Coordinates of all heavy atoms in Angstrom, one line a residue:
M400 N 112.6 80.3 89.9 CA 112.8 80.3 91.3 C 112.0 79.2 91.9 O 110.8 79.0 91.6 CB 112.4 81.7 91.9 CG 112.3 81.7 93.4 SD 112.0 83.3 94.1 CE 110.4 83.7 93.4
S401 N 112.5 78.5 92.9 CA 111.8 77.5 93.6 C 111.5 78.0 95.0 O 112.4 78.6 95.6 CB 112.5 76.2 93.7 OG 112.7 75.6 92.4
L402 N 110.4 77.8 95.6 CA 110.1 78.2 97.0 C 109.9 76.9 97.7 O 109.0 76.1 97.3 CB 108.9 79.0 97.0 CG 109.0 80.4 96.3 CD1 107.7 81.1 96.3 CD2 110.0 81.2 96.9
L403 N 110.6 76.7 98.8 CA 110.5 75.4 99.5 C 110.1 75.6 101.0 O 111.0 76.0 101.7 CB 111.9 74.8 99.4 CG 112.6 74.7 98.1 CD1 114.0 74.2 98.2 CD2 111.8 73.8 97.2
P404 N 108.9 75.3 101.3 CA 108.6 75.3 102.8 C 109.4 74.1 103.4 O 109.3 73.0 103.0 CB 107.1 75.1 102.8 CG 106.6 75.3 101.5 CD 107.8 75.0 100.5
L405 N 110.1 74.4 104.5 CA 110.8 73.4 105.2 C 110.4 73.3 106.6 O 111.0 74.0 107.4 CB 112.4 73.7 105.1 CG 113.2 73.1 104.0 CD1 113.1 74.0 102.8 CD2 114.6 73.0 104.5
P406 N 109.4 72.5 107.0 CA 109.2 72.3 108.4 C 110.3 71.5 109.0 O 110.7 70.5 108.4 CB 107.9 71.6 108.4 CG 107.3 71.8 107.1 CD 108.4 72.0 106.2
I407 N 110.9 72.0 110.1 CA 112.0 71.3 110.7 C 111.5 70.9 112.1 O 111.2 71.8 112.9 CB 113.2 72.1 110.8 CG1 113.6 72.5 109.3 CG2 114.4 71.4 111.5 CD1 114.8 73.4 109.2
S408 N 111.4 69.6 112.4 CA 110.9 69.3 113.8 C 112.0 69.5 114.8 O 113.1 69.4 114.6 CB 110.5 67.8 113.8 OG 111.5 67.0 114.3
D409 N 111.5 69.9 116.0 CA 112.4 70.1 117.1 C 111.5 69.8 118.3 O 111.0 70.8 118.9 CB 112.9 71.5 117.1 CG 114.3 71.6 117.7 OD1 114.8 70.6 118.1 OD2 114.8 72.7 117.7
P410 N 111.3 68.5 118.7 CA 110.4 67.9 119.6 C 109.0 68.6 119.8 O 108.7 69.3 118.9 CB 111.2 67.8 120.9 CG 112.6 67.7 120.4 CD 112.7 68.3 119.1
P411 N 108.1 68.4 120.6 CA 108.0 67.3 121.6 C 106.9 66.3 121.2 O 105.8 66.6 120.8 CB 107.4 68.1 122.8 CG 106.6 69.2 122.2 CD 107.3 69.5 120.8
T412 N 107.3 65.0 121.2 CA 106.4 63.9 121.2 C 107.0 62.8 122.1 O 108.1 63.1 122.6 CB 106.2 63.3 119.8 OG1 107.5 62.8 119.3 CG2 105.6 64.3 118.8
D413 N 106.4 61.7 122.2 CA 107.0 60.6 123.0 C 108.4 60.2 122.5 O 109.3 59.9 123.3 CB 106.1 59.3 123.0 CG 104.8 59.6 123.7 OD1 104.7 60.6 124.4 OD2 103.9 58.8 123.5
T414 N 108.7 60.3 121.2 CA 110.0 60.0 120.7 C 110.8 61.2 120.5 O 112.0 61.1 120.1 CB 109.8 59.3 119.3 OG1 109.2 60.2 118.4 CG2 109.0 58.0 119.4
G415 N 110.3 62.4 120.9 CA 111.1 63.6 120.8 C 111.0 64.3 119.4 O 111.6 65.3 119.1
R416 N 110.2 63.7 118.5 CA 110.0 64.3 117.1 C 108.6 64.2 116.7 O 107.9 63.3 117.1 CB 110.8 63.5 116.1 CG 112.3 63.5 116.3 CD 113.0 62.8 115.1 NE 114.4 63.0 115.3 CZ 115.1 64.0 114.9 NH1 114.5 65.0 114.3 NH2 116.3 64.1 115.1
L417 N 108.2 65.1 115.8 CA 107.0 64.9 115.1 C 107.1 63.8 114.1 O 108.2 63.6 113.5 CB 106.6 66.2 114.4 CG 106.2 67.4 115.3 CD1 106.0 68.7 114.4 CD2 105.0 67.1 116.1
D418 N 106.0 63.1 113.8 CA 106.0 62.1 112.8 C 106.3 62.7 111.4 O 105.8 63.8 111.1 CB 104.6 61.4 112.8 CG 104.6 60.3 111.8 OD1 104.4 60.5 110.6 OD2 104.7 59.1 112.3
P419 N 107.2 62.1 110.6 CA 107.5 62.7 109.3 C 106.2 62.9 108.4 O 106.2 63.8 107.7 CB 108.4 61.6 108.6 CG 109.0 60.9 109.8 CD 108.0 60.9 110.9
A420 N 105.2 62.0 108.6 CA 104.0 62.2 107.8 C 103.2 63.5 108.2 O 102.6 64.2 107.4 CB 103.0 61.0 108.0
V421 N 103.3 63.9 109.5 CA 102.7 65.1 110.0 C 103.5 66.3 109.4 O 102.9 67.3 108.9 CB 102.7 65.2 111.5 CG1 102.3 66.6 112.0 CG2 101.8 64.1 112.1
L422 N 104.8 66.2 109.4 CA 105.6 67.3 108.8 C 105.3 67.4 107.3 O 105.2 68.6 106.8 CB 107.1 67.0 109.0 CG 107.6 67.1 110.4 CD1 109.1 66.7 110.4 CD2 107.5 68.5 110.9
A423 N 105.1 66.3 106.6 CA 104.8 66.4 105.2 C 103.4 67.0 105.0 O 103.2 67.8 104.0 CB 104.8 65.0 104.6
D424 N 102.5 66.7 105.8 CA 101.1 67.3 105.7 C 101.2 68.8 105.9 O 100.6 69.6 105.2 CB 100.2 66.7 106.8 CG 99.7 65.4 106.4 OD1 99.9 64.9 105.2 OD2 99.1 64.7 107.3
I425 N 102.0 69.3 106.9 CA 102.2 70.7 107.2 C 102.8 71.4 105.9 O 102.3 72.4 105.5 CB 103.1 70.9 108.4 CG1 102.4 70.5 109.7 CG2 103.5 72.4 108.5 CD1 103.3 70.3 110.9
A426 N 103.9 70.8 105.4 CA 104.6 71.3 104.2 C 103.7 71.4 103.0 O 103.6 72.4 102.3 CB 105.8 70.5 103.9
T427 N 102.9 70.4 102.7 CA 102.0 70.4 101.6 C 100.9 71.3 101.8 O 100.4 72.0 100.8 CB 101.5 69.0 101.2 OG1 100.9 68.4 102.3 CG2 102.6 68.1 100.7
G428 N 100.4 71.5 103.0 CA 99.4 72.5 103.3 C 99.9 73.9 103.0 O 99.2 74.7 102.5
L429 N 101.1 74.2 103.5 CA 101.7 75.5 103.2 C 101.9 75.7 101.7 O 101.6 76.8 101.2 CB 103.0 75.6 104.0 CG 102.8 75.8 105.5 CD1 104.2 75.7 106.2 CD2 102.2 77.2 105.8
A430 N 102.3 74.7 101.1 CA 102.5 74.9 99.6 C 101.2 75.2 98.9 O 101.2 76.0 98.0 CB 103.2 73.6 99.0
A431 N 100.2 74.5 99.3 CA 98.8 74.7 98.7 C 98.3 76.1 99.0 O 97.5 76.7 98.2 CB 97.9 73.7 99.2
A432 N 98.8 76.7 100.1 CA 98.3 78.1 100.5 C 99.3 79.1 100.1 O 99.3 80.2 100.6 CB 98.1 78.1 102.0
R433 N 100.1 78.9 99.1 CA 101.2 79.8 98.7 C 100.7 81.2 98.4 O 101.4 82.2 98.5 CB 102.0 79.2 97.6 CG 101.3 79.2 96.2 CD 102.1 78.4 95.2 NE 102.8 79.3 94.3 CZ 103.4 78.8 93.3 NH1 103.4 77.5 93.0 NH2 104.1 79.6 92.5
V434 N 99.4 81.4 97.9 CA 99.0 82.7 97.6 C 98.9 83.6 98.9 O 99.0 84.8 98.8 CB 97.6 82.7 96.9 CG1 97.6 82.1 95.6 CG2 96.5 82.1 97.8
Q435 N 98.9 82.9 100.0 CA 98.8 83.6 101.3 C 100.2 84.2 101.7 O 100.3 85.1 102.5 CB 98.3 82.7 102.4 CG 96.9 82.2 102.2 CD 95.9 83.3 102.1 OE1 95.9 84.2 103.0 NE2 95.0 83.2 101.2
W436 N 101.3 83.6 101.3 CA 102.6 84.0 101.7 C 103.6 84.3 100.6 O 104.6 85.0 100.9 CB 103.2 82.9 102.6 CG 103.3 81.5 102.0 CD1 102.3 80.5 102.3 CD2 104.2 81.0 101.1 NE1 102.7 79.4 101.6 CE2 103.8 79.6 100.9 CE3 105.4 81.4 100.5 CZ2 104.5 78.8 100.0 CZ3 106.1 80.6 99.7 CH2 105.7 79.3 99.4
Q437 N 103.3 84.0 99.4 CA 104.3 84.1 98.3 C 104.8 85.5 98.1 O 106.0 85.8 97.8 CB 103.8 83.5 97.0 CG 104.9 83.4 96.0 CD 104.4 82.6 94.8 OE1 103.2 82.3 94.6 NE2 105.3 82.2 94.0
A438 N 103.9 86.5 98.2 CA 104.3 87.9 98.0 C 105.3 88.4 99.0 O 106.0 89.4 98.8 CB 103.0 88.8 98.0
S439 N 105.4 87.8 100.2 CA 106.3 88.2 101.2 C 107.7 87.6 101.1 O 108.6 87.9 101.9 CB 105.7 88.0 102.6 OG 105.6 86.6 102.8
V440 N 107.9 86.7 100.1 CA 109.1 86.0 99.9 C 109.9 86.7 98.7 O 109.4 86.7 97.6 CB 109.0 84.5 99.6 CG1 110.3 83.9 99.3 CG2 108.2 83.9 100.8
G441 N 111.0 87.3 99.0 CA 111.8 87.9 98.0 C 113.0 87.0 97.6 O 112.8 85.9 97.1
H442 N 114.2 87.4 98.0 CA 115.4 86.6 97.7 C 116.0 86.0 98.9 O 117.1 85.4 98.8 CB 116.4 87.5 96.9 CG 116.0 87.9 95.6 ND1 115.9 87.1 94.5 CD2 115.5 89.1 95.1 CE1 115.5 87.7 93.5 NE2 115.2 88.9 93.8
E443 N 115.4 86.2 100.0 CA 115.9 85.7 101.3 C 114.9 84.7 101.9 O 113.7 84.9 101.7 CB 116.2 86.8 102.3 CG 117.3 87.8 101.9 CD 118.6 87.1 101.7 OE1 119.0 86.3 102.6 OE2 119.4 87.5 100.8
P444 N 115.3 83.7 102.7 CA 114.4 82.8 103.3 C 113.5 83.6 104.3 O 113.9 84.5 104.9 CB 115.3 81.8 104.1 CG 116.6 81.9 103.4 CD 116.7 83.3 102.9
V445 N 112.2 83.1 104.4 CA 111.2 83.7 105.3 C 110.6 82.6 106.1 O 110.2 81.6 105.6 CB 110.1 84.4 104.4 CG1 109.0 84.9 105.4 CG2 110.7 85.5 103.6
R446 N 110.7 82.8 107.4 CA 110.0 81.9 108.3 C 108.5 82.1 108.3 O 108.1 83.2 108.7 CB 110.6 82.0 109.8 CG 110.0 80.9 110.7 CD 110.8 80.8 112.0 NE 110.7 82.0 112.7 CZ 111.3 82.2 113.9 NH1 112.0 81.3 114.4 NH2 111.1 83.4 114.5
L447 N 107.8 81.1 107.9 CA 106.3 81.2 107.8 C 105.6 80.9 109.1 O 104.6 81.5 109.4 CB 105.8 80.2 106.7 CG 106.4 80.4 105.3 CD1 105.9 79.4 104.4 CD2 106.0 81.8 104.8
L448 N 106.2 79.9 109.8 CA 105.6 79.5 111.1 C 106.7 79.1 112.1 O 107.7 78.6 111.7 CB 104.7 78.2 110.9 CG 103.4 78.4 110.0 CD1 102.9 77.0 109.8 CD2 102.4 79.2 110.7
A449 N 106.4 79.3 113.3 CA 107.3 78.9 114.4 C 106.5 78.4 115.6 O 105.7 79.2 116.1 CB 108.3 80.0 114.8
T450 N 106.6 77.2 115.9 CA 105.9 76.6 117.1 C 107.0 75.9 118.0 O 108.2 75.8 117.6 CB 104.9 75.6 116.7 OG1 105.5 74.4 116.3 CG2 104.0 76.1 115.6
A451 N 106.5 75.4 119.1 CA 107.4 74.6 120.0 C 107.9 73.3 119.3 O 108.9 72.8 119.6 CB 106.8 74.4 121.3
A452 N 107.1 72.9 118.3 CA 107.4 71.6 117.7 C 108.1 71.7 116.3 O 108.8 70.7 115.9 CB 106.1 70.8 117.5
Y453 N 108.0 72.8 115.6 CA 108.6 72.9 114.3 C 108.6 74.3 113.9 O 108.0 75.2 114.4 CB 107.8 72.1 113.3 CG 106.5 72.6 112.9 CD1 106.3 73.5 111.9 CD2 105.4 72.2 113.7 CE1 105.0 74.0 111.7 CE2 104.1 72.7 113.4 CZ 103.9 73.6 112.4 OH 102.7 74.1 112.1
E454 N 109.5 74.6 112.8 CA 109.5 75.8 112.1 C 109.2 75.5 110.6 O 109.6 74.4 110.2 CB 110.9 76.5 112.2 CG 111.2 77.0 113.6 CD 112.6 77.6 113.6 OE1 113.4 77.4 112.7 OE2 112.8 78.3 114.6
A455 N 108.6 76.4 109.9 CA 108.4 76.2 108.5 C 108.9 77.5 107.8 O 108.6 78.6 108.1 CB 106.9 76.1 108.2
W456 N 109.7 77.2 106.8 CA 110.4 78.3 106.0 C 110.1 78.2 104.5 O 109.9 77.1 104.0 CB 111.9 78.1 106.1 CG 112.5 78.4 107.5 CD1 112.5 77.5 108.6 CD2 113.1 79.6 108.0 NE1 113.1 78.1 109.6 CE2 113.5 79.3 109.3 CE3 113.4 80.8 107.4 CZ2 114.1 80.3 110.1 CZ3 114.0 81.7 108.1 CH2 114.4 81.5 109.5
A457 N 110.0 79.4 103.9 CA 109.9 79.4 102.4 C 111.3 79.9 102.0 O 111.8 80.9 102.5 CB 108.9 80.4 102.0
I458 N 112.0 79.1 101.2 CA 113.3 79.4 100.8 C 113.4 79.6 99.3 O 113.2 78.6 98.6 CB 114.3 78.3 101.3 CG1 114.2 78.2 102.8 CG2 115.7 78.6 100.8 CD1 115.1 77.1 103.4
P459 N 113.7 80.8 98.8 CA 113.7 81.0 97.4 C 115.1 80.6 96.8 O 116.1 80.8 97.4 CB 113.5 82.5 97.2 CG 114.1 83.1 98.5 CD 113.8 82.0 99.6
W460 N 115.1 79.9 95.7 CA 116.3 79.5 95.0 C 116.3 80.1 93.6 O 115.3 79.8 92.8 CB 116.4 78.0 94.9 CG 116.6 77.4 96.2 CD1 115.6 76.9 97.0 CD2 117.8 77.1 96.9 NE1 116.1 76.4 98.2 CE2 117.4 76.5 98.2 CE3 119.1 77.3 96.7 CZ2 118.4 76.1 99.1 CZ3 120.1 76.9 97.6 CH2 119.7 76.3 98.8
D461 N 117.3 80.8 93.2 CA 117.4 81.3 91.8 C 118.0 80.1 91.0 O 118.8 79.3 91.5 CB 118.3 82.5 91.7 CG 117.6 83.7 92.3 OD1 116.4 83.8 92.2 OD2 118.3 84.6 92.9
P462 N 117.7 80.0 89.7 CA 118.3 79.0 88.8 C 119.8 79.1 88.9 O 120.4 80.1 88.9 CB 117.8 79.4 87.4 CG 116.5 80.1 87.7 CD 116.7 80.9 88.9
G463 N 120.4 77.9 89.1 CA 121.8 77.8 89.2 C 122.4 78.0 90.5 O 123.6 77.8 90.8
H464 N 121.6 78.4 91.5 CA 122.1 78.6 92.9 C 122.5 77.3 93.5 O 121.9 76.2 93.2 CB 121.0 79.2 93.7 CG 121.4 79.5 95.1 ND1 122.0 80.7 95.5 CD2 121.3 78.8 96.3 CE1 122.3 80.7 96.8 NE2 121.9 79.6 97.3
A465 N 123.5 77.3 94.3 CA 124.0 76.0 94.9 C 124.6 76.3 96.2 O 125.0 77.4 96.6 CB 125.1 75.4 94.0
L466 N 124.5 75.3 97.1 CA 125.1 75.3 98.4 C 126.1 74.2 98.5 O 125.9 73.1 97.8 CB 124.1 75.1 99.5 CG 123.1 76.3 99.7 CD1 122.0 75.8 100.8 CD2 123.8 77.5 100.2
D467 N 127.1 74.3 99.4 CA 128.0 73.2 99.7 C 127.2 72.1 100.4 O 126.2 72.4 101.1 CB 129.2 73.6 100.5 CG 130.1 74.5 99.7 OD1 130.2 74.4 98.5 OD2 130.8 75.3 100.4
L468 N 127.6 70.9 100.4 CA 127.0 69.8 101.1 C 127.0 70.2 102.6 O 128.0 70.8 103.1 CB 127.7 68.5 101.0 CG 127.5 67.8 99.7 CD1 128.4 66.6 99.6 CD2 126.0 67.3 99.5
H469 N 125.8 70.0 103.3 CA 125.7 70.3 104.7 C 124.6 69.4 105.3 O 123.9 68.8 104.5 CB 125.3 71.8 104.9 CG 124.0 72.2 104.3 ND1 123.8 72.4 102.9 CD2 122.8 72.3 104.9 CE1 122.6 72.6 102.7 NE2 121.9 72.6 103.9
D470 N 124.5 69.4 106.6 CA 123.5 68.6 107.2 C 122.7 69.5 108.1 O 123.1 70.6 108.4 CB 123.9 67.3 107.9 CG 124.7 67.5 109.2 OD1 124.4 68.5 109.9 OD2 125.5 66.7 109.5
H471 N 121.5 69.0 108.5 CA 120.7 69.7 109.4 C 120.7 69.2 110.8 O 119.7 69.3 111.6 CB 119.2 69.7 108.9 CG 119.1 70.5 107.6 ND1 118.7 71.8 107.5 CD2 119.4 70.1 106.3 CE1 118.7 72.2 106.3 NE2 119.1 71.2 105.5
G472 N 121.8 68.5 111.2 CA 122.0 68.0 112.5 C 120.9 67.0 112.8 O 120.6 66.1 112.1
E473 N 120.3 67.1 114.0 CA 119.3 66.2 114.5 C 117.9 66.5 114.0 O 117.0 65.8 114.2 CB 119.3 66.2 116.0 CG 120.6 65.9 116.6 CD 120.7 64.4 117.1 OE1 119.7 63.9 117.4 OE2 121.8 63.9 117.2
S474 N 117.7 67.6 113.2 CA 116.4 68.0 112.8 C 115.9 67.1 111.7 O 116.7 66.6 110.8 CB 116.5 69.4 112.2 OG 116.8 70.3 113.2
A475 N 114.6 66.9 111.6 CA 114.0 66.2 110.5 C 113.5 67.3 109.6 O 113.0 68.3 110.0 CB 112.8 65.4 111.0
T476 N 113.7 67.1 108.3 CA 113.4 68.1 107.3 C 112.5 67.5 106.2 O 112.7 66.4 105.8 CB 114.7 68.6 106.6 OG1 115.6 69.1 107.6 CG2 114.4 69.7 105.6
V477 N 111.5 68.3 105.8 CA 110.6 67.9 104.7 C 110.7 69.1 103.7 O 110.7 70.2 104.1 CB 109.2 67.7 105.2 CG1 108.2 67.5 104.0 CG2 109.0 66.6 106.2
V478 N 110.8 68.7 102.5 CA 110.9 69.7 101.4 C 109.8 69.5 100.4 O 109.5 68.4 100.1 CB 112.3 69.6 100.6 CG1 112.3 70.5 99.5 CG2 113.5 69.8 101.6
V479 N 109.1 70.6 100.1 CA 108.1 70.6 99.0 C 108.5 71.6 98.0 O 108.7 72.8 98.3 CB 106.7 71.0 99.5 CG1 105.7 71.0 98.4 CG2 106.2 70.0 100.6
V480 N 108.7 71.2 96.8 CA 109.0 72.2 95.7 C 107.7 72.8 95.2 O 106.8 72.1 94.7 CB 109.8 71.4 94.5 CG1 110.1 72.4 93.4 CG2 111.0 70.8 95.1
V481 N 107.7 74.1 95.3 CA 106.4 74.8 95.0 C 106.5 75.3 93.5 O 105.5 75.3 92.9 CB 106.2 76.0 95.9 CG1 105.0 76.9 95.5 CG2 106.1 75.5 97.4
D482 N 107.7 75.6 93.0 CA 107.8 76.1 91.7 C 109.2 75.7 91.2 O 110.2 75.9 91.9 CB 107.6 77.6 91.6 CG 107.6 78.2 90.2 OD1 107.1 77.5 89.3 OD2 108.1 79.3 90.1
G483 N 109.3 75.2 90.0 CA 110.6 74.9 89.4 C 111.0 73.5 89.8 O 110.2 72.6 90.0
E484 N 112.3 73.3 90.0 CA 112.9 72.1 90.4 C 114.1 72.3 91.2 O 114.8 73.3 91.1 CB 113.2 71.1 89.2 CG 114.2 71.7 88.3 CD 114.5 70.8 87.1 OE1 113.5 70.0 86.7 OE2 115.6 70.8 86.5
L485 N 114.4 71.3 92.1 CA 115.6 71.4 93.0 C 116.4 70.1 92.7 O 116.0 69.0 92.7 CB 115.1 71.3 94.4 CG 116.2 71.2 95.5 CD1 117.1 72.5 95.5 CD2 115.6 70.9 96.8
H486 N 117.7 70.4 92.4 CA 118.7 69.3 92.2 C 119.4 69.1 93.6 O 120.1 70.0 94.0 CB 119.7 69.6 91.2 CG 119.1 69.7 89.8 ND1 119.4 68.8 88.8 CD2 118.2 70.6 89.3 CE1 118.7 69.1 87.7 NE2 118.0 70.2 88.0
E487 N 119.1 68.0 94.2 CA 119.6 67.8 95.6 C 120.7 66.7 95.6 O 120.4 65.6 95.1 CB 118.4 67.4 96.5 CG 118.8 67.2 97.9 CD 117.6 66.9 98.8 OE1 116.9 65.9 98.5 OE2 117.3 67.7 99.7
R488 N 121.8 67.0 96.2 CA 122.9 66.0 96.4 C 122.9 65.6 97.9 O 122.7 66.4 98.8 CB 124.2 66.6 96.0 CG 124.4 66.7 94.5 CD 125.8 67.2 94.2 NE 126.2 68.4 94.9 CZ 126.2 69.6 94.3 NH1 125.9 69.7 93.1 NH2 126.5 70.6 95.0
S489 N 123.1 64.3 98.1 CA 123.1 63.7 99.4 C 124.3 62.7 99.5 O 124.7 62.2 98.4 CB 121.8 63.0 99.8 OG 120.7 63.8 99.6
I490 N 124.7 62.5 100.7 CA 125.7 61.4 100.9 C 125.0 60.2 101.5 O 124.3 60.3 102.5 CB 126.8 61.8 101.8 CG1 127.6 63.0 101.2 CG2 127.8 60.7 102.1 CD1 128.7 63.6 102.0
V491 N 125.0 59.1 100.7 CA 124.3 57.9 101.2 C 125.4 56.8 101.2 O 125.9 56.4 100.2 CB 123.1 57.5 100.2 CG1 122.5 56.2 100.7 CG2 122.1 58.6 100.2
E492 N 125.6 56.3 102.4 CA 126.6 55.2 102.6 C 128.0 55.6 102.0 O 128.6 54.8 101.3 CB 126.1 53.9 102.1 CG 124.9 53.4 102.8 CD 124.3 52.1 102.3 OE1 125.0 51.5 101.4 OE2 123.2 51.7 102.7
G493 N 128.4 56.8 102.1 CA 129.7 57.3 101.6 C 129.7 57.7 100.2 O 130.7 58.3 99.7
D494 N 128.6 57.5 99.4 CA 128.6 57.9 98.0 C 127.7 59.2 97.9 O 126.6 59.3 98.5 CB 128.0 56.8 97.2 CG 128.9 55.6 97.1 OD1 130.2 55.8 97.1 OD2 128.4 54.5 97.1
I495 N 128.0 60.1 97.0 CA 127.2 61.2 96.7 C 126.2 60.8 95.7 O 126.5 60.3 94.6 CB 128.1 62.4 96.2 CG1 129.0 62.9 97.3 CG2 127.2 63.6 95.7 CD1 130.0 64.0 96.9
T496 N 124.9 61.1 96.0 CA 123.8 60.8 95.1 C 123.1 62.1 94.7 O 123.2 63.1 95.5 CB 122.8 59.8 95.7 OG1 122.2 60.5 96.8 CG2 123.4 58.5 96.1
E497 N 122.5 62.2 93.6 CA 121.7 63.4 93.2 C 120.3 62.9 92.8 O 120.2 61.9 92.1 CB 122.4 64.1 92.1 CG 121.7 65.4 91.7 CD 122.4 66.3 90.8 OE1 123.7 66.4 90.9 OE2 121.8 67.0 90.0
Q498 N 119.3 63.7 93.2 CA 118.0 63.5 92.7 C 117.4 64.9 92.3 O 117.8 65.9 92.9 CB 117.1 62.8 93.8 CG 116.9 63.6 95.0 CD 116.0 62.9 96.0 OE1 115.1 62.1 95.6 NE2 116.1 63.1 97.3
V499 N 116.5 64.9 91.4 CA 115.8 66.1 91.0 C 114.4 66.1 91.5 O 113.7 65.1 91.3 CB 115.8 66.2 89.4 CG1 115.0 67.4 89.0 CG2 117.2 66.2 88.8
L500 N 114.1 67.1 92.3 CA 112.8 67.2 92.9 C 112.0 68.3 92.0 O 112.4 69.4 91.9 CB 112.9 67.7 94.3 CG 113.7 66.9 95.2 CD1 113.8 67.5 96.6 CD2 113.2 65.5 95.4
E501 N 110.9 67.8 91.4 CA 110.2 68.7 90.5 C 109.0 69.3 91.3 O 108.7 68.9 92.4 CB 109.7 68.0 89.3 CG 110.8 67.5 88.4 CD 110.4 66.6 87.3 OE1 109.2 66.2 87.2 OE2 111.2 66.4 86.4
T502 N 108.4 70.3 90.7 CA 107.2 71.0 91.3 C 106.2 70.0 91.9 O 105.9 69.0 91.2 CB 106.5 71.9 90.3 OG1 107.4 72.9 89.9 CG2 105.3 72.6 90.9
G503 N 105.8 70.2 93.1 CA 104.8 69.3 93.7 C 105.5 68.1 94.5 O 104.8 67.4 95.3
R504 N 106.7 67.9 94.3 CA 107.4 66.7 94.9 C 107.6 67.0 96.4 O 108.0 68.1 96.8 CB 108.7 66.5 94.2 CG 109.6 65.4 94.7 CD 109.2 64.0 94.2 NE 109.9 63.0 94.8 CZ 111.1 62.6 94.4 NH1 111.7 63.0 93.4 NH2 111.7 61.6 95.1
V505 N 107.4 66.0 97.2 CA 107.6 66.1 98.6 C 108.7 65.1 99.0 O 108.7 64.0 98.6 CB 106.3 65.7 99.4 CG1 106.6 65.8 100.9 CG2 105.2 66.6 99.0
R506 N 109.7 65.6 99.8 CA 110.8 64.8 100.3 C 111.1 65.1 101.7 O 111.1 66.2 102.1 CB 112.1 64.9 99.4 CG 113.0 63.9 99.8 CD 114.5 64.3 100.0 NE 114.9 65.6 100.4 CZ 115.1 66.0 101.7 NH1 114.9 65.2 102.7 NH2 115.5 67.2 101.9

């Protein structure tokens, strides 16, 4: 099972978004503090934090679990793999690409 904190920005800054580096810092900090929240995560996503600027979620994935391609609209998303690995498919310039995110990887 992989647990993925996903801070998703939803304004406010001068540009209307948090800096991606700030989101990455939040996500890696939450990942480092997993002993504080991991017991409350079962098989469903759990919102760890909610502020006016972002939300952070822990999302459990069982091996072999898959979702159809989708987007997060205007939201900025940072993913940190806390345990296991995530095979992520994206559409880049019309082509489907896949990357493997291993434990500790930030994207």
